[in-house]
Structure formats: C-alpha cells, structure tokens
Amino acid sequence: MCGIFAYLNYNVSRERRYILEMLFNGLRRLEYRGYDSAGISIDSDEHGPLVFRQEGNIESLVKSVYQEVATTDLNLEESFSIHAGIAHTRWATHGEPAPRNSHPQTSDPGNEFLVVHNGVVTNYEVLKESLVRHGFTFQSDTDTEVIPKLAKFVFDNANEEGDKRVTFSQVVLEVMRHLEGAYALIFKSRHYPNELVACKRGSPLLLGVKELNEKASTGACFNDAKFLSSNGQPKELFLSSDASALVEHTKKVLVIEDGEVVHVKDGGATIFKFDPAKRGGTLTRPASVERALSVLEMEVEQINKGKYEHYMQKEIHEQPDSLTTTMRGRLIRGGSCKAKSVLLGGLKDHLKTIRRSRRIVFIGCGTSYNAALAARPILEELSGIPVTLEIASDLLDRQGPIYREDTTVFVSQSGETADTLQALEYALENGALCVGITNTVGSAIARTTHCGVHINAGCEIGVASTKAYTSQIVVMAMLALAIGDDTISSQTRREAIIDGLFDLPSKLKEVLKLDEEMKDLARLLIAEQSLLVFGRGYNYATALEGALKVKEVALMHSEGILAGEMKHGPLALVDETLPIVVVATRDACFSKQQSVIHQLHARKGRLIVMCTKGDAASVCVGGSCRVIEVPQVEDCLQPVINIVPLQLLAYHLTVLRGHNVDQPRNLAKSVTTQ
C-alpha cells in the first residue's frame, strides 16, 4: 500500500516536462500496490516547491497538473542541471481520499518542508496537540501532516538558537526521535534546495543510482563508494518503495535498513544510523556509515504484461515457469549416493535444530496462511513434529505462547507484511528459531529471520496472489522433504514426491488448458451473489484460497468451508439456486467427499465438482452437476493443480463483471500498515 517515488538529476540537463513525466511514470509502476489518491512536488522558478495533489487515479493527477500549469506562466521546457522531485500514491488510513489528505503533506503554505509517507504514525495525536500549542494549524485529517510540521519546528528552533549550519539530515534525525509507528519517509525542503532525505522504520524503501557515463558492460562489478559519492559525475538518483519502479532505470540499488537516514545531495548519498539513545539539547551530528549496493535480479520484462491483458492473467499462466524456477537447483535426482533429495541452501545449517523442535509454527496472513495450511499435512507426515498455524494478527492479539524450542516459519510474498513482521519480532523476543519464506530478496523478513528460503516466483504485480501461492506450497513441500530426509521409513514416499515435483510444471500446463472452460463457467455465474467452496484434507486450503480469489477480485461473496463441517451449519444454505464447488480429487478423503456430494445433491444443491481425470462418473450423481477434470499428481501436491481452475474462474468472473482485476477495490499488494 502507498507508493513512494523520488527522482533527482545531477549534472545532467533535464526539462521540467521530463521531470514531471519521470515522476508520473514512477507512480504508474506503483499503481498495482493499491491507492486512492496521488500527488507530486517539483520546483518552481523562484517560489520554492510546487505541490499538486488529486483524488482518484494517476491519470487524474496528470490531467489536473497540466490543466493547472496551463493557467500559469510555469515553463515546462525550462532545463535544470540539478533538481529533486517527489511523488506519492496514497491508500487512505487517516482521513478520506481527498486532495487535502493526499501527499506530499506540507509544513505551511510556503511549503518549507514536504513529506511523502508510507506507514502509520501511532503517536500522531500527541504530536499534533503539542504542535497546535506551538501555533501550528492543520489542514488535513492525516497522521502524516505532523511530520513536516515537526521538521519546521525543529528547523526553526535550531535557527533561533543560532545554529545556522544545521543540516537537512540533522533535522530529520531529530524528527525521527519523536515518531512512533512504522514508516518510510522522503523529505523535501525549500531551505535545502536540490536535496532529499529518506528514512525508514518497518516500511520498504530503496535508493537507485545511475551514472550516465558508465559503460554498459559494468554488470555486477561496481564500486559502492564511487556510486554513492558526490564525485561530480552526471547521475540520476531514484528513491522508491518498490523495485518495480527502479528496474527500468537502474539495477544498482541500496536497500535502506530500518533506522537509516539517507541524505541525497550533490549527486551523492550519505548514510547515517539513527540512534534513539542519543539525546541532548543540541542536534546531533552523527558519523556517516558505509553500505554496500545490491544488484536487482528483476528484469524489465517482468513488470510488463506482454501478450496478456492483465497482470493477474499473465501470472496465472506463468506458473509452469515460476514453479520451474522455484525448484531449480533444489531438487536432486540421480548422480549421487542419494538418488533423490532436496537441497535448500538457506536452511542446511539449521536443519538439525528444526528437527529437534518441540513444534513448528507457521505464521502468515491471507494467501500465505492458506499456502501453509495446504502444506501442513505433508510437513507433519514427514517431520513427525506437531505443526500449528497462526494468523499473524491473531497471534499478536492473543500474545500466544512461543517457546525457545519452537521453530517459527514466517510466510510472506512481499517479506514486508506489517502483522507478520511484528509477529517475527515477537518470536525473536521469545527466543524461537525464525525461518523466512518470501518472494523478495532483501525484504525485512528475509533480513531479520535466522535463515530461510526465497520462493523465486518472479515479480508478482497483480494484487491477488497467484504464482506466489503455488510456489509457496512447493517450497514448503521441499522443506518437509528436507526435514524428513534422515528418516528411512519415509524414503519411498519422499522419492515419489520428488518425482511429482519434477512433473508438476508439465501438469500445470495441462490444467491451464481449462481456461476457456472456466470462462464459460464464469458466464454462468456472472449474476450470482454468492459461492460456496467445499474442501477437506490437503484441499481445505484450496477451498479457502479459491473463495478468497473470487472474493477479492470479482467482489462476489464466497466462502471456503471445511467439508467435514458441512452438517454443522453450512448445509442450511443449500438450495437449487446457490452454486457450490466441491473439490473431490483422488486422495485419502475422496470417499468422504463423494458422501458430501450425495448429501448436497439430495438437497438439490447446484453442484460444480472438481475431480481427477476419469472420475466424472464417480462424482457426478445422475449427471446433474458440472464437472471440472484436473490431472492427478501426488496427493500433497494436488493443491497446486487444483487452485488453478479457481484462479482462472476468479479472473474471468472479474473481467466479465467489469471490475479492475489487478487493483481490487480497497485492497493493496503489500500490507505494510496494520
């Protein structure tokens, strides 16, 4: 949620129009995160920063900016050899979507200090009361507005005390001392022209650096000090809450750590470490620290739709390739004393500790939680260790017991999910071994856990997770194989699963051929108000995740139900009008699901049954239900196959109902606030 983007050109001439378009395009790359308003700030000729804010989408902002510019004498063709601009997409937390609540938020009518913010300031009410007592007036309903006003207060006080040499970074460091909560911030000020200061605590933020005279063959070999120094070389510097807005400009990035302050000035970046323990009457002047740059592994093609109409559609159809990438180099079949095994490099030094655990606790939210639920049976079977699941927010609300003897596994596509991160901090405080399963290298969860596995599903832009879900299940199946690797009695079972993993991409290609069939089914369901999905065993997770996909993108009420609970309430809903999906593929629960189908049919249920190829006659009572046939794989991998038709159904339902499939109403891709 919320997108931050900033652009600074140094010793290279850029027209104001070019700078505007650079900021707009940066925001467009962040649209998928979810937002309801947007804004930018650039410099005028002599009156300091200009601020443009607009409710609605980015194109509404673009239109309003050019309309406003047309009524002024602002010259869009004017060139700047150095200029700093900031931009933001907002997802409302405090205050309704409106221009006054959009970012950048300002300190005063003269825009002395401007801030774009991702996150929530939890103590803003106390700060606001204090600032009001000091004569400040507030125009917005946001928590963010206290930040630029606090910066002005700090700056004014320093100047009153005669400290004319106070730097921009010193002001920001002092502001940070007063802020509580999670945030990523970029500051711009008329007192410090052509400078930006960024800082973060709990929300993602990256700095990208592009030297315009660098040789194209530099590749991954570059000197950190050279790229971050003020060396006079023509440069473009970028700040963003997401790598997807940087990759088309540069692959050389600095992943800003929690508590770091990055001061961008004169084409260079100086990094300071915030120390909350240092307090005093004067502003501190901390020493700078050195940090290493990283190389983005993302490609520009990953953030384009290619031949597809929508990102969700593209990512559903990418799953054979994304699963191949997830498993690459991790499955070993033949050529050694262990004919079939799994190698998870990020876990190999901790496997003995995991095997000695009293229990394994999986912690996640939404789709990530469902993926863990799908993998739980095989983890219990192969490890012999009790496996429990926790929704991150619920664990925190209860302050549920976590012990030193536990292994806690944190599952998050983005690696930045706020509730999951807080649960991680809680588990660390309680001494548990913490394992991360994420899709984002360098994310907060990847950096903070003791060890982990990257799912390597590739960039996922659609808000409704698809390929990350299937890759998460596969990674957790491989985790089960790795933990149980020392158990002789389960060797045959493990080898069958490894064979199944090798065959999984080809089976996914097969199930994707159901695309048109699911589109036809979507046409039949387009006017329905509700959908039930029944599953059990490995496919209880399929029922929950399939219902979640329909719910979040098609905006249709849908509910995933454990089939064993059918007679404990849900059966009352069944009549001839309510569509019901029953997942009844071949596994240990197949005969029980057959019984469920008979009971639903007896009550004239409108059935859609997902079954294994060749089983239509076994599940379709009297030929009265619609059947979706899918290829059979090893039972613990079947949820990877079974979710795909439901993903396709959700996609087609959404498109046919006229909704935005990549940006569902009220939702955001990376939930970085609570």
Side-chain angles (χ1 to χ4, degrees):
M1 73 171 54
C2 295
I4 289 175
F5 186 76
Y7 169 68
L8 189 147
N9 57 296
Y10 175 74
N11 266 359
V12 54
S13 182
R14 297 298 190 210
E15 294 178 347
R16 185 179 276 116
R17 187 186 301 276
Y18 177 95
I19 294 165
L20 275 174
E21 287 301 323
M22 180 68 76
L23 295 172
F24 291 145
N25 287 329
L27 292 184
R28 289 184 182 108
R29 291 298 189 191
L30 301 175
E31 277 191 292
Y32 76 95
R33 295 169 66 91
Y35 70 106
D36 47 47
S37 54
I40 63 166
S41 175
I42 59 170
D43 290 333
S44 66
D45 297 321
E46 54 190 33
H47 302 296
L50 297 173
V51 175
F52 303 91
R53 300 182 295 199
Q54 187 66 33
E55 178 187 349
N57 62 25
I58 289 164
E59 298 315 312
S60 298
L61 173 68
V62 174
K63 184 178 178 181
S64 69
V65 168
Y66 284 120
Q67 284 177 342
E68 190 171 338
V69 167
T71 65
T72 69
D73 58 357
L74 193 69
N75 182 7
L76 292 182
E77 316 311 321
E78 181 181 358
S79 291
F80 298 83
S81 62
I82 178 170
H83 180 281
I86 57 176
H88 188 266
T89 53
R90 176 178 184 258
W91 192 83
T93 55
H94 296 74
E96 65 183 4
R100 72 178 189 283
N101 291 327
S102 304
H103 298 199
Q105 283 291 308
T106 182
S107 59
D108 64 297
N111 297 329
E112 290 185 45
F113 287 89
L114 295 167
V115 167
V116 289
H117 170 213
N118 182 8
V120 171
V121 179
T122 55
N123 65 331
Y124 82 99
E125 290 175 325
V126 174
L127 293 173
K128 185 173 182 178
E129 288 174 8
S130 177
L131 289 165
V132 167
R133 286 197 301 271
H134 284 90
F136 286 88
T137 57
F138 284 74
Q139 282 72 47
S140 79
D141 306 315
T142 69
D143 57 327
T144 304
E145 194 178 357
V146 301
I147 303 173
K149 285 178 165 50
L150 187 55
K152 176 173 166 53
F153 178 74
V154 169
F155 177 82
D156 289 347
N157 278 359
N159 278 271
E160 284 176 14
E161 293 170 6
D163 189 356
K164 302 292 186 184
R165 297 175 298 116
V166 61
T167 65
F168 202 176
S169 52
Q170 284 178 285
V171 172
V172 172
L173 283 160
E174 186 60 27
V175 169
M176 289 178 71
R177 296 191 194 289
H178 299 275
L179 300 181
E180 296 175 7
Y183 54 77
L185 304 168
I186 301 178
F187 292 77
K188 177 178 168 66
S189 173
R190 67 183 304 164
H191 297 294
Y192 303 98
N194 306 318
E195 298 181 33
L196 296 174
V197 178
C199 63
K200 71 175 286 284
R201 180 192 293 158
S203 285
L205 198 58
L206 300 99
L207 169 71
V209 185
K210 178 181 181 181
E211 278 215 344
L212 297 177
N213 62 354
E214 63 181 298
K215 295 178 181 177
S217 60
T218 53
C221 301
F222 55 90
N223 182 280
D224 296 335
K226 170 196 164 190
F227 276 84
L228 292 177
S229 66
S230 302
N231 56 11
Q233 295 295 323
K235 287 180 185 174
E236 290 179 313
L237 296 102
F238 309 85
L239 286 156
S240 177
S241 50
D242 197 310
S244 62
L246 300 180
V247 66
E248 62 189 304
H249 304 296
T250 180
K251 289 195 172 187
K252 300 177 178 68
V253 300
L254 174 77
V255 179
I256 301 173
E257 302 276 3
D258 276 2
E260 285 185 341
V261 174
V262 178
H263 190 168
V264 181
K265 178 182 178 182
D266 297 333
T270 309
I271 304 156
F272 303 98
K273 196 71 178 176
F274 171 67
D275 183 358
K278 288 186 178 179
R279 292 184 176 274
T282 59
L283 299 185
T284 57
R285 298 180 185 274
S288 62
V289 297
E290 290 189 3
R291 282 285 316 282
L293 291 171
S294 305
V295 179
L296 287 178
E297 297 179 3
M298 185 186 298
E299 300 295 335
V300 175
E301 290 74 18
Q302 291 180 270
I303 59 174
N304 292 328
K305 294 174 190 169
K307 65 180 181 180
Y308 299 99
E309 291 183 37
H310 304 95
Y311 285 113
M312 184 179 179
Q313 181 188 28
K314 172 178 179 270
E315 287 154 12
I316 291 170
H317 286 270
E318 280 179 343
Q319 287 177 106
D321 294 330
S322 62
L323 286 187
T324 300
T325 307
T326 296
M327 294 184 286
R328 183 173 291 127
R330 292 168 168 173
L331 293 182
I332 300 168
R333 184 164 64 172
S336 67
C337 56
K338 283 189 178 181
K340 295 173 184 175
S341 59
V342 169
L343 177 63
L344 297 176
L347 290 181
K348 66 178 194 287
D349 295 334
H350 295 83
L351 282 174
K352 287 184 179 178
T353 305
I354 296 171
R355 290 176 185 135
R356 290 196 299 265
S357 300
R358 183 165 77 171
R359 60 175 182 158
I360 301 174
V361 184
F362 280 82
I363 299 166
C365 304
T367 288
S368 294
Y369 175 88
N370 293 341
L373 180 63
R376 176 168 65 176
I378 194 62
L379 279 152
E380 289 181 328
E381 178 188 337
L382 295 184
S383 71
I385 303 168
V387 177
T388 62
L389 300 178
E390 293 281 1
I391 296 173
S393 58
D394 184 51
L395 175 67
L396 292 165
D397 291 344
R398 294 179 358 251
Q399 292 290 288
I402 297 288
Y403 303 104
R404 288 181 182 276
E405 299 84 2
D406 291 338
T407 292
T408 50
V409 184
F410 297 86
V411 190
S412 167
Q413 188 281 138
S414 67
E416 304 284 352
T417 309
D419 287 325
T420 309
L421 268 171
Q422 283 214 348
L424 170 55
E425 291 171 10
Y426 176 68
L428 288 168
E429 289 168 4
N430 285 277
L433 175 68
C434 296
V435 180
I437 296 178
T438 81
N439 193 33
T440 312
V441 176
S443 63
I445 289 175
R447 297 194 311 271
T448 310
T449 45
H450 297 112
C451 56
V453 186
H454 288 111
I455 67 171
N456 297 334
C459 182
E460 187 179 68
I461 287 178
V463 168
S465 181
T466 50
K467 64 179 181 177
Y469 174 74
T470 51
S471 285
Q472 284 171 342
I473 295 174
V474 165
V475 160
M476 286 183 270
M478 291 193 292
L479 173 61
L481 291 165
I483 296 170
D485 196 34
D486 62 344
T487 308
I488 295 173
S489 60
S490 64
Q491 183 175 340
T492 302
R493 170 72 158 151
R494 291 198 314 273
E495 290 186 355
I497 294 169
I498 290 172
D499 287 338
L501 286 168
F502 274 108
D503 293 342
L504 205 50
S506 63
K507 298 287 188 181
L508 264 174
K509 288 179 181 176
E510 193 177 330
V511 78
L512 283 168
K513 293 176 183 176
L514 293 170
D515 193 11
E516 280 301 317
E517 186 177 330
M518 300 317 295
K519 190 173 183 178
D520 289 341
L521 178 58
R523 290 191 183 101
L524 294 177
L525 300 177
I526 190 171
E528 299 299 329
Q529 299 300 310
S530 193
L531 177 72
L532 299 186
V533 188
F534 285 97
R536 71 193 307 158
Y538 284 105
N539 285 294
Y540 175 36
T542 304
L544 291 180
E545 178 63 13
L548 178 61
K549 286 290 144 305
V550 172
K551 189 183 304 176
E552 64 183 335
V553 294
L555 310 185
M556 172 180 174
H557 171 258
S558 53
E559 187 177 353
I561 298 174
L562 181 64
E565 287 291 289
M566 179 188 69
K567 288 179 283 189
H568 301 280
L571 200 57
L573 294 171
V574 178
D575 61 20
E576 64 275 9
T577 63
L578 177 67
I580 302 171
V581 176
V582 181
V583 183
T585 45
R586 287 275 176 178
D587 58 22
C589 296
F590 179 63
S591 61
K592 295 177 182 177
Q593 288 298 77
Q594 283 181 303
S595 175
V596 166
I597 292 166
H598 279 281
Q599 292 177 65
L600 292 171
H601 177 70
R603 289 158 180 84
K604 296 183 171 54
R606 187 178 164 194
L607 293 176
I608 302 158
V609 179
M610 184 185 299
C611 68
T612 304
K613 276 191 176 178
D615 272 350
S618 302
V619 299
C620 191
V621 183
S624 60
C625 63
R626 188 179 181 106
V627 175
I628 304 164
E629 293 188 273
V630 297
Q632 183 172 11
V633 295
E634 198 71 16
D635 56 2
C636 63
L637 304 178
Q638 195 69 50
V640 175
I641 296 295
N642 292 356
I643 194 59
V644 175
L646 298 178
Q647 290 173 345
L648 290 167
L649 175 63
Y651 169 76
H652 288 300
L653 262 175
T654 307
V655 174
L656 290 170
R657 288 162 72 113
H659 302 306
N660 187 335
V661 70
D662 288 328
Q663 295 171 42
R665 183 176 68 197
N666 301 332
L667 299 181
K669 182 63 179 173
S670 179
V671 184
T672 55
T673 60
Q674 294 176 297

